[in-house]
Amino acid sequence: MTTDDRSLKEAWSSIPSQREVGIGLERFTGQRMERILSTVAAIGSAALGAQALLAAVTRLAPPDPGRIGMMALVFLPLLWMIVACVIGKGVKPAAGTFTVAYAIALALWPVVVEGGVRDPSNQPWIFFLVNIGVVAAMLAFTTRIQLIWALTLPILYGWVRLVQGGFEQSWWISTGFDVSFTIILGTVIISLAWMFRQIAAGVDEARSRAVEGYASAAAASAAEEERVAMSALMHDSVLAALIAAERADSDRARALAVAMAREALTRLANTEASIAQEGSDAPVARSQIVTELRRTLSEQGADAVVEERGAADAEVPGKVARAIVLAARQAIGNALAHADGHGLHVIVESAAADRLRVTVLDAGPGFDPDAIGEDRLGIRASIVARMAAVAGTSEIVSDADGTTVVLGWEPS
């Protein structure tokens, strides 16, 4: 492949698309808020987790396999959650795993850990992680499930403590205080997280509305500028070509009038494109046109295919190829806008190595081409005038069964 061929392919790949706009910032504030919440959760979990681990190790005498297994069941998922919150990846599965593992550890606590401690004021090490389980639920689940966990974990802890104390009266007061404290603290944690997330969502929504308003204003301004430029073009170039054609009284004058008309049509068809985008006369393979049409369908979310027929090695001049692609893109856009893409099908066929025809079909309700307003240039300028500017042909047939747009070109 020569340097010119590579340059031509790069130029074709840079044809502007209708949907090449910046996306991914619609949840910028929400993502930042989630990152802040996970970082704060990592700091709090590390502090309370270290406190609980120290209490568990100091009370591990003599070594008990059941207690060691209980520690592994709790602290390994906790360590995973802390690491995930720090790096900002896999936070939800890690937090969900710790929440479930902690609930299982609480349920197994009376069975695995013997009730040797008879002092109700002496809290076990697993108590320090009750609200960490609520924080993990806040990171992993929806608001409704978060509230359920904020009530379930403290109540489960209270039941475990009462079972361990044999439901004696001295255990009810201290256990009730612990349960009520953890419920209040867990509810406050979830409420604050919900409030921060709502604020972030509001900021993202306001930003989205502002961007949409700016885009609408910019589009309206661009449309008005294009309308003014089109009016000036019609007044100067097209009117001059019509006057020259009317006054032509010889073959040379008629040839000049035709050249002026063709130049006017070229400028009219490429009003929205810059001079650098008009293309050159370097040959363009049919495969590149097919690739561009498929990219157009993909970017516009159309469930359609581009069918190839005839000579696969066909080539047309660059300006012709660009005119066909832009006209076909307009036809595809019309089919999506007015027919919802029903029955959309694109056919690219070559009867010979230097001839090309592109057909865009849809099964929409159709329209009356003669009833289109004079100020609507989607078909006149973007399809008919564009193809006429490169000495091509365009045929539009529409009825109640659908619309067919046929774009053709062959050398003179």
Side-chain angles (χ1 to χ4, degrees):
M1 181 180 293
T2 64
T3 304
D4 292 339
D5 293 337
R6 286 195 298 269
S7 300
L8 188 60
K9 286 183 177 295
E10 292 176 0
W12 267 85
S13 63
S14 64
I15 291 179
S17 172
Q18 296 177 353
R19 295 194 176 185
E20 288 179 353
V21 294
I23 59 176
L25 298 179
E26 65 276 3
R27 292 194 65 252
F28 175 76
T29 307
Q31 292 173 352
R32 293 292 299 273
M33 184 58 65
E34 293 297 331
R35 188 74 183 100
I36 292 173
L37 291 176
S38 62
T39 302
V40 174
I43 296 174
S45 300
L48 293 178
Q51 182 180 359
L53 180 61
L54 181 62
V57 172
T58 55
R59 297 174 186 177
L60 193 62
D64 184 358
R67 292 174 180 266
I68 295 176
M70 183 70 69
M71 293 172 59
L73 178 62
V74 173
F75 288 109
L76 290 180
L78 178 61
L79 178 61
W80 179 25
M81 186 185 77
I82 294 173
V83 173
C85 290
V86 170
I87 65 177
K89 295 181 179 180
V91 175
K92 286 188 176 182
T97 301
F98 171 73
T99 302
V100 175
Y102 181 75
I104 295 174
L106 273 179
L108 296 178
W109 184 267
V111 178
V112 177
V113 180
E114 297 179 359
V117 179
R118 305 305 302 170
D119 185 4
S121 62
N122 189 0
Q123 298 165 336
W125 60 265
I126 202 170
F127 169 74
F128 301 114
L129 301 178
V130 174
N131 284 122
I132 299 301
V134 177
V135 170
M138 179 267 295
L139 295 174
F141 306 131
T142 60
T143 303
R144 181 176 299 180
I145 300 179
Q146 294 171 21
L147 292 174
I148 294 175
W149 278 101
L151 295 175
T152 301
L153 289 182
I155 293 175
L156 181 60
Y157 168 77
W159 177 80
V160 167
R161 288 288 285 170
L162 291 177
V163 170
Q164 192 176 21
F167 292 94
E168 295 180 1
Q169 184 178 2
S170 59
W171 288 73
W172 283 89
I173 297 178
S174 61
T175 302
F177 175 79
D178 292 340
V179 170
S180 60
F181 173 78
T182 51
I183 288 178
I184 294 173
L185 183 57
T187 305
V188 170
I189 292 173
I190 291 176
S191 300
L192 289 176
W194 175 84
M195 181 182 67
F196 291 146
R197 284 168 171 163
Q198 289 296 111
I199 293 174
V203 172
D204 287 331
E205 184 178 357
R207 180 190 293 111
S208 177
R209 288 198 301 266
V211 171
E212 290 178 359
Y214 174 79
S216 299
S221 177
E224 185 62 27
E225 292 179 0
E226 183 178 1
R227 186 180 298 274
V228 172
M230 190 71 67
S231 299
L233 175 63
M234 294 292 291
H235 181 272
D236 295 337
S237 301
V238 178
L239 185 59
L242 291 175
I243 293 174
E246 182 183 6
R247 296 178 179 178
D249 55 1
S250 64
D251 293 340
R252 177 173 175 79
R254 294 187 185 93
L256 291 175
V258 171
M260 291 178 63
R262 179 166 294 178
E263 176 66 20
L265 287 174
T266 302
R267 293 175 59 190
L268 180 63
N270 293 282
T271 301
E272 79 283 1
S274 65
I275 297 177
Q277 293 176 337
E278 289 182 2
S280 65
D281 289 329
V284 174
R286 190 188 76 173
S287 59
Q288 292 180 252
I289 297 176
V290 172
T291 300
E292 179 58 28
L293 293 179
R294 286 173 176 167
R295 185 165 74 98
T296 299
L297 291 172
S298 176
E299 290 172 349
Q300 296 193 13
D303 185 13
V305 297
V306 179
E307 181 182 353
E308 298 182 66
R309 299 177 183 175
D313 58 347
E315 292 182 341
V316 294
K319 288 184 178 180
V320 174
R322 177 167 178 79
I324 291 177
V325 168
L326 293 178
R329 177 180 290 177
Q330 180 66 38
I332 292 172
N334 291 342
L336 293 175
H338 304 294
D340 294 330
H342 294 312
L344 179 60
H345 188 60
V346 182
I347 302 173
V348 179
E349 52 187 332
S350 308
D354 56 354
R355 299 183 182 185
L356 188 68
R357 184 168 67 176
V358 176
T359 305
V360 180
L361 308 96
D362 67 69
F367 66 97
D368 183 5
D370 297 331
I372 299 176
E374 295 294 335
D375 59 335
R376 303 300 296 273
L377 301 176
I379 293 179
R380 289 189 177 90
S382 298
I383 297 180
V384 177
R386 176 170 281 128
M387 293 303 300
V390 294
T393 60
S394 58
E395 181 183 359
I396 301 174
V397 178
S398 183
D399 53 29
D401 296 328
T403 301
T404 301
V405 179
V406 182
L407 311 173
W409 185 88
E410 61 183 41
S412 302

